[in-house]
Amino acid sequence: MLCQFTFKNFKSFRNEATLDLCAENIGEHSETLLVDEYDGEKFLPVVSIYGPNGGGKTSVLEAFAYIRKKICFPVMATLLDSDYNRELLDINDILKINEEQKYFKFSSECAEQPTEFVIICRIGEYEYNYQLSLKGECVVDECFYRTHIIDDEPEIIFERNVTNDGNQIINSPNEDLEGLALNKVRSDLTLLSLIAIISDTKIIDEFVHWLMDCKLLNYDKPFLDSAVDFDTISKNKKSIIELLNSMGIDIDDMREEKDSDGKHRQIYTTRINSDNIKVELNFNDESSGTRKVLSLLPLVYTSLYEGSVFIADEMDAKLHPKLFGYIISLFTDPKINKNQAQLICTSHDLYNMNKERFRRDEIWFCSMNAKNESTLYSLVQFKMPNGTKPRNDGSYSKQYIEGKFGADPYIRKGLEWEDINE
């Protein structure tokens, strides 16, 4: 499970921002929380980030995508035939960051300051804490710690510091790393990646594979409406069709057509008409909303089955609000989400921004100040002008539209058309 993700000096975020998936001590929807079997700590199954266009919502996801790519891609380069490699290179690498765009641009000081990341997650009976600071592509600091959840004894896996003259100081007391030529690591390569490449070390592999299993998609990209993982559908066709039917999409069957070389060519769906006759449709003849659902469901199903983190930008685009709400409910229903999967998404959907769908710590906002600096905070953290916090019986969407949560979703002032025409 992802516990916390922190970053600083990244795109529109000059100051430190933390996306916290540790559940707050509030009463609503406690039955939906993910409970760690080792210590009973509670975590959020979903987070939905709201805010105006250009407020920084996507940057939060891109920050996670960036550190994931920084760690995983060097490892994938050595595993060219792996399923992980195909997934990362073909679909999951669409939240791309140009190196020159990484740091906060509206202050000359930030160009000389490192971009910082911290990932805290739990895998089995351990909590991992990974920290990385970069200047450009080069590592400045890198630390990796592990804590046994029951014993609460922190363990240093490694600590790496690069001095101003370029020398690297590496502290690696963990016995599993003995004998490895860690000082040979390039300045632009994370030590985590190097160890994963040159050795078979369980501590490292667990964390790296957890990162690989995270799914990152940007549904603002139109081509994704036609990007369907039919291998997953064919392996789990009955369950996925049942999911489609429960969402009111009456597809009876699906098949894939391949060319003479065995490569994917087209997908066909089967529906039953009013005369109880099966009718086959080309996938492209389905509505854009149905295509979106068909591209989305295999990934949702895989995430729920694996218990992985699913991160999606603009996931509600082209989805009916009730379908978006239904997908959220898959992650908040403990009978369905048995493996403790998590969904993190950005959204403009107001239909589901309510106390029935979300806890207050599951609704997050991004806003930008007059200095072009983005901030990230949850509804439960926000303080009203009178010093109180939003009530759990409030109308969240109405207050959000009115700009009461500091992340006004709309343009504050419209154009004066008469003045323009003159």
Side-chain angles (χ1 to χ4, degrees):
M1 287 182 291
L2 178 61
C3 305
Q4 284 185 346
F5 175 58
T6 299
F7 59 100
K8 181 180 180 180
N9 191 23
F10 183 88
K11 297 195 75 174
S12 61
F13 286 87
R14 177 177 184 173
N15 301 313
E16 183 176 279
T18 297
L19 185 67
D20 192 349
L21 280 84
C22 299
E24 298 276 358
N25 187 23
I26 55 178
E28 58 256 40
H29 301 304
S30 59
E31 75 283 355
T32 67
L33 296 175
L34 310 180
V35 182
D36 194 298
E37 62 178 308
Y38 293 99
D39 65 352
E41 191 71 26
K42 298 176 180 178
F43 298 91
L44 304 176
V46 296
V47 163
S48 186
I49 306 174
Y50 295 86
N53 290 329
K57 300 188 304 297
T58 298
S59 295
V60 177
L61 309 189
E62 287 179 331
F64 190 89
Y66 180 84
I67 187 172
R68 177 176 179 267
K69 179 178 178 180
K70 182 74 175 176
I71 294 166
C72 294
F73 266 50
V75 181
M76 290 303 96
T78 67
L79 302 170
L80 295 179
D81 294 327
S82 73
D83 291 337
Y84 282 129
N85 189 63
R86 286 196 297 272
E87 179 185 354
L88 286 168
L89 293 180
D90 293 345
I91 296 178
N92 278 7
D93 185 29
I94 62 170
L95 284 169
K96 294 184 178 180
I97 307 298
N98 294 326
E99 198 58 42
E100 66 274 10
Q101 297 176 343
K102 190 172 70 212
Y103 63 86
F104 181 74
K105 290 293 188 179
F106 290 92
S107 171
S108 57
E109 297 176 356
C110 291
E112 302 302 321
Q113 296 172 349
T115 297
E116 302 173 7
F117 306 91
V118 180
I119 295 176
I120 300 176
C121 70
R122 290 190 173 196
I123 306 170
E125 58 191 288
Y126 290 97
E127 182 170 283
Y128 292 86
N129 184 318
Y130 178 74
Q131 304 172 19
L132 180 66
S133 296
L134 302 167
K135 280 189 179 179
E137 279 286 271
C138 296
V139 175
V140 177
D141 287 289
E142 183 182 8
C143 303
F144 192 37
Y145 307 101
R146 185 178 74 164
T147 302
H148 193 277
I149 294 171
I150 301 298
D151 297 337
D152 197 28
E153 288 292 332
E155 174 189 2
I156 299 173
I157 308 302
F158 64 76
E159 296 174 322
R160 174 190 183 190
N161 175 259
V162 181
T163 61
N164 292 333
D165 57 5
N167 291 323
Q168 299 195 65
I169 301 172
I170 297 177
N171 174 31
S172 54
N174 187 275
E175 61 182 15
D176 291 338
L177 305 184
E178 289 181 2
L180 299 180
L182 303 184
N183 285 308
K184 300 295 184 181
V185 62
R186 301 194 319 261
S187 61
D188 63 339
L189 183 68
T190 68
L191 187 56
L192 191 70
S193 303
L194 175 69
I195 299 171
I197 291 169
I198 66 174
S199 73
D200 184 14
T201 306
K202 183 180 179 181
I203 297 174
I204 303 298
D205 289 347
E206 276 190 341
F207 183 76
V208 172
H209 284 127
W210 176 84
L211 267 181
M212 290 178 180
D213 286 335
C214 294
K215 291 163 179 56
L216 283 73
L217 293 173
N218 181 357
Y219 280 106
D220 190 39
K221 307 292 185 181
F223 76 88
L224 279 180
D225 292 341
S226 301
V228 178
D229 179 7
F230 198 82
D231 287 341
T232 299
I233 290 178
S234 61
K235 292 175 184 176
N236 310 280
K237 185 186 290 187
K238 181 179 178 181
S239 297
I240 290 176
I241 288 178
E242 286 178 356
L243 274 177
L244 287 167
N245 295 161
S246 67
M247 299 168 77
I249 301 174
D250 58 346
I251 288 176
D252 185 67
D253 197 5
M254 288 178 282
R255 72 175 179 88
E256 181 183 33
E257 181 180 88
K258 296 184 178 181
D259 60 22
S260 57
D261 296 326
K263 295 181 179 180
H264 170 81
R265 182 177 177 183
Q266 189 54 263
I267 293 174
Y268 293 89
T269 60
T270 300
R271 294 176 180 263
I272 300 177
N273 67 14
S274 57
D275 297 322
N276 205 33
I277 297 174
K278 292 186 177 182
V279 178
E280 193 170 67
L281 295 177
N282 188 301
F283 177 71
N284 294 324
D285 291 332
E286 294 282 1
S287 69
S288 60
T290 298
R291 294 199 304 268
K292 170 71 174 288
V293 171
L294 284 171
S295 72
L296 179 61
L297 271 190
L299 299 165
V300 169
Y301 182 88
T302 302
S303 180
L304 291 168
Y305 179 78
E306 295 177 349
S308 57
V309 180
F310 184 24
I311 298 176
D313 192 25
E314 302 283 358
M315 194 180 80
D316 59 315
K318 295 185 181 179
L319 276 185
H320 189 283
K322 287 189 176 181
L323 293 183
F324 179 52
Y326 182 86
I327 291 171
I328 293 169
S329 73
L330 297 176
F331 287 83
T332 57
D333 186 344
K335 294 180 181 179
I336 297 173
N337 189 7
K338 298 178 182 179
N339 298 314
Q340 301 189 320
Q342 292 169 297
L343 170 66
I344 301 171
C345 63
T346 64
S347 176
H348 290 288
D349 171 62
L350 300 182
Y351 178 87
N352 291 287
M353 188 197 278
N354 56 61
K355 61 183 181 296
E356 286 77 25
R357 183 66 66 196
F358 291 113
R359 291 163 50 94
R360 283 171 292 163
D361 51 2
E362 293 173 337
I363 297 175
W364 286 69
F365 300 106
C366 273
S367 64
M368 183 176 288
N369 63 22
K371 297 180 181 179
N372 295 296
E373 299 168 344
S374 291
T375 56
L376 176 67
Y377 52 93
S378 72
L379 177 59
V380 78
Q381 295 169 338
F382 185 76
K383 287 187 177 182
M384 308 294 279
N386 61 4
T388 63
K389 292 186 177 181
R391 294 165 54 93
N392 64 356
D393 59 353
S395 177
Y396 305 151
S397 58
K398 180 176 182 295
Q399 292 173 304
Y400 172 59
I401 290 173
E402 294 171 349
K404 291 184 178 180
F405 298 143
D408 193 336
Y410 300 119
I411 299 172
R412 293 183 181 274
K413 185 178 180 181
L415 292 172
E416 298 292 343
W417 290 104
E418 294 82 1
D419 295 341
I420 293 176
N421 291 332
E422 291 178 2

